[in-house]
Amino acid sequence: MDPLKDNRLRTSALTRRSALLGGAGLVGLGLAACSDNASTGGGGETITLGYVSSWTDGLSTAYLLDNRLQAMGYNVEHQDISEPGALYAALAKGDIDVYPSAWPEVTHAEYMKEYGDDIDDLVTYYGNAKLTIAVPEYTDITSIDELKGNADMFGGQIIGIEPGAGLTGVTKDSMMPTYDLEDEYELVTSSTTAMLSELKKATDSEKDIVVTLWRPFWANSAFPVRDLEDPEGGMGETEGLHFLARKGFADDFADAAEFISGIELDDEQYNSLEDLVVNEYDDGKEPEAIDKWLEENPDVLPEVEEG
């Protein structure tokens, strides 16, 4: 599948689906308005999923949980929360029940330090998440250490995402000093949408560009890019994606917690899930995307006793 060729990377998709990784500092603890997409199951109790809807990993897994929890007889509510600090605070306070795709080991470690005592880690559902520096496949370098001395290839810029994102902090505070790039490059920050737009323009015209990215993320397969090797570990270690819950969730919803704790996705399974939700189906058709994924992956998830 090549969305660049079949026009799946339209501007509206970039705007709706762009993902950011969590801010390095707390910038407010208010919830965004609760979304109207509450799903009614078989008359059972309600489980509330909280996530930032522009983060495509959380969006995809939220609708996956929504489908299966409904099948178990639960009502499912979605809360779109404005930023990561508010998300972790809401989980710790019990305002939401589950955060369906957290990066607590490295990227969001600061939030776990602040709120972790009031959060239960249900499972690592995906174990190969990482922050990356990427270039187009046609660019003639393969390692971050080759950026030094080649700033003219990239106009002296590394194109980043939001200024407060965890990825931005790692790039600026770890990667750039590790590879002595601070005098040669400017880290340009604005938004994930802007970064993806710059990446699209560059790859459409086969120009060199260097961007901050991460895995898993749909853009890695949508654009002709490759990760630069990181021999000095400037971008940090590989980490896992987790299902986090409020304290006491497993006591209140034992069958739901047991089901969620049994989920494990490999690269192919995760990538196909996100691709269907993000690229193959339009906004508002996430449930249909999940139905398709379950049809194509019938034996991946633990069985549920339907309510």
Side-chain angles (χ1 to χ4, degrees), residues 121-200:
D121 190 343
L122 297 180
V123 72
T124 303
Y125 79 86
Y126 176 86
N128 195 33
K130 58 184 177 181
L131 306 181
T132 66
I133 300 295
V135 298
E137 293 174 346
Y138 50 76
T139 295
D140 192 26
I141 66 170
T142 60
S143 178
I144 296 176
D145 57 13
E146 294 179 76
L147 290 175
K148 187 171 178 60
N150 284 309
D152 289 346
M153 292 177 62
F154 309 102
Q157 294 184 331
I158 298 170
I159 307 301
I161 58 170
E162 288 75 8
L167 172 59
T168 299
V170 170
T171 302
K172 179 176 64 176
D173 299 330
S174 177
M175 186 280 287
M176 293 182 73
T178 295
Y179 291 97
D180 194 22
L181 301 178
E182 294 164 299
D183 293 335
E184 295 186 35
Y185 288 86
E186 174 191 5
L187 176 60
V188 179
T189 59
S190 56
S191 69
T192 303
T193 301
M195 179 274 290
L196 292 173
S197 295
E198 290 299 313
L199 180 59
K200 187 178 190 305

